[in-house]
């Protein structure tokens, strides 16, 4: 029956099946939760990235698009007394989100990572006031 569901990807790997079964929100694109608050002169973006090291998180800004990418590598080994593997598992996961930062002062963006929360301060651009000048009458 699972193969009859449109647009779903069916994995023949039993372990992937169980991982996907216990994660019903798995849509094929790993993501993370983010909250954005308007604080008047700036926005505060808080991204939940528990279990990541600061070095695993990369921020990229190009053409008014901010990309947050976090890559998690995990390995686990169990050996018997002879050093033969009983079980050996490895997982690598990449989580990516993009945000449109049009209207943000790109040079003023700051980031901090503490207790699994990436906090980005996104200062708003000052409104552009058209310059006025007086014209002398001759």
């Amino acid at each position: 029956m699972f193969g009859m569901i449109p647009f779903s990807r069916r994995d023949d790997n039993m372990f992937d099946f169980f991982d996907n079964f216990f994660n019903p929100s798995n849509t094929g694109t790993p993501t993370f939760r983010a909250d954005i608050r308007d604080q008047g002169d700036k926005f505060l973006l808080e991204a939940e990235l528990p279990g990541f090291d600061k070095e695993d998180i990369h921020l990229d800004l190009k053409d008014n698009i901010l990309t947050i990418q976090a890559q998690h590598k995990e390995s686990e080994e169990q050996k018997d007394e002879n050093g033969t593997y009983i079980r050996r598992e490895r997982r690598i996961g990449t989580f990516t989100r993009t945000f449109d930062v049009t209207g943000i002062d790109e040079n003023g963006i700051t980031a901090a990572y503490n207790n699994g929360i990436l906090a980005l301060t996104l200062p708003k651009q000052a409104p552009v006031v058209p310059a006025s000048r007086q014209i002398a009458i001759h």
Side-chain angles (χ1 to χ4, degrees):
M1 171 149 168
F2 290 109
M4 300 290 290
I5 299 171
F7 306 112
S8 68
R9 187 175 132 233
R10 185 176 156 230
D11 292 325
D12 293 328
N13 184 328
M14 178 178 70
F15 299 107
D16 289 341
F17 172 77
F18 285 110
D19 286 343
N20 294 335
F21 180 79
F22 290 110
N23 185 7
S25 65
N26 188 356
T27 60
T29 305
T31 188
F32 50 86
R33 181 171 292 152
D35 298 326
I36 302 173
R37 286 187 269 165
D38 187 346
Q39 296 186 324
D41 61 339
K42 64 184 179 250
F43 291 103
L44 178 63
L45 186 151
E46 293 178 322
E48 295 180 5
L49 297 166
F52 286 94
D53 292 328
K54 183 171 68 169
E55 295 77 25
D56 297 336
I57 302 169
H58 303 281
L59 304 174
D60 184 43
L61 185 61
K62 183 178 180 183
D63 297 330
N64 291 325
I65 301 294
L66 172 68
T67 302
I68 301 172
Q69 182 178 30
Q71 185 172 15
H72 190 67
K73 295 180 183 180
E74 179 182 329
S75 65
E76 193 174 317
E77 292 183 2
Q78 289 182 348
K79 296 181 181 182
D80 63 10
E81 62 275 355
N82 298 326
T84 306
Y85 290 112
I86 295 173
R87 179 177 71 115
R88 184 176 183 189
E89 295 182 358
R90 292 162 302 284
R91 290 180 185 223
I92 297 175
T94 301
F95 302 89
T96 304
R97 296 256 332 243
T98 57
F99 300 90
D100 183 4
V101 292
T102 304
I104 299 297
D105 177 12
E106 294 180 1
N107 295 323
I109 296 174
T110 59
Y113 184 68
N114 191 18
N115 293 329
I117 304 292
L118 175 67
L120 290 157
T121 303
L122 307 165
K124 296 178 183 178
Q125 286 180 342
V128 177
V129 178
S132 66
R133 65 183 181 107
Q134 296 214 344
I135 299 173
I137 302 173
H138 297 282

